[in-house]
Amino acid sequence: MKIINMNEIKEDLILQAAQILTDSLPIGWPTLDDAIDEIKERLIPENVLLTAVEDNEIIGWGGIIPQYNGNVFELHPLAVKENMRRNGVGAAIVRALEDAARSRGGITMQLGADDEVNDGETSFANVDLYDNLPMRIENFNPATHQTGFYMKVGYKIIGVVPDANGIGKPDIWMGKRL
């Protein structure tokens, strides 16, 4: 596996990256056109988009967006081909993105992880997060949600937006000092 800048890949590989995004996060990018638009919108010099390539095939990719005068970078998005998950691909992409943020003067990496599936995935779903939020954060259970992955690579919950995606569907903000 090799991690390269997405600006260096050919157009047909952009299509592969878009398909991985749609397959991985269909709520955010339900169509291939939505995913292609997301990639093209992010391919600007101040952002970094990195892709993991194996045998001339995209197996995952992610990006960072500078915020707060470059002190903070938002990790957005991260998508790994389903059959390549749990093989270290996502962690390798995140490490490479963190290195890129550090090299640009970043101090903190942050991300938002919506828990918007109908039945919810985390212990934050379908509960009143205004009721003792500190205790709920302390006892957080990611279950099958992507927050579990981010916790394994060192991210912590730094905030929660209750009902961001409808009642009982929060946005979970995570961060890591670089």
Side-chain angles (χ1 to χ4, degrees):
M1 173 181 66
K2 184 166 75 157
I3 296 180
I4 60 174
N5 189 307
M6 198 175 281
N7 286 316
E8 299 171 13
I9 65 174
K10 296 178 182 166
E11 189 70 29
D12 62 323
L13 293 180
I14 297 276
L15 190 59
Q16 286 181 22
Q19 188 64 58
I20 292 168
L21 184 59
T22 298
D23 292 345
S24 299
L25 300 162
I27 291 174
W29 296 277
T31 70
L32 197 54
D33 285 340
D34 293 329
I36 290 168
D37 290 346
E38 175 72 16
I39 292 169
K40 288 184 177 177
E41 183 180 310
R42 301 282 169 229
L43 279 174
I44 56 175
E46 49 274 2
N47 296 339
V48 175
L49 290 182
L50 300 177
T51 183
V53 179
E54 190 170 82
D55 299 325
N56 203 34
E57 180 182 336
I58 301 267
I59 57 174
W61 68 278
I64 56 173
I65 304 162
Q67 300 178 338
Y68 298 96
N69 298 317
N71 290 322
V72 176
F73 281 78
E74 180 182 2
L75 197 159
H76 176 81
L78 176 66
V80 174
K81 199 170 183 180
E82 187 170 6
N83 67 338
M84 296 304 294
R85 293 179 191 156
R86 300 188 194 318
N87 290 313
V89 175
I93 295 168
V94 168
R95 279 192 304 275
L97 290 168
E98 290 170 352
D99 289 344
R102 267 189 220 95
S103 74
R104 291 171 174 236
I107 300 168
T108 295
M109 186 82 86
Q110 72 173 14
L111 62 97
D114 294 310
D115 187 359
E116 58 188 327
V117 174
N118 286 337
D119 295 328
E121 291 181 82
T122 74
S123 59
F124 287 171
N126 302 312
V127 297
D128 181 1
L129 292 174
Y130 292 101
D131 180 31
N132 201 354
L133 182 58
M135 182 266 311
R136 292 187 187 283
I137 291 173
E138 186 175 323
N139 296 312
F140 178 72
N141 180 353
T144 60
H145 193 258
Q146 69 261 29
T147 49
F149 162 77
Y150 289 113
M151 291 169 83
K152 286 179 187 172
V153 295
Y155 287 75
K156 310 264 188 246
I157 295 173
I158 58 172
V160 180
V161 182
D163 306 327
N165 302 289
I167 294 178
K169 298 177 181 182
D171 190 1
I172 304 163
W173 281 91
M174 302 187 82
K176 179 179 181 181
R177 180 170 289 134
L178 299 172

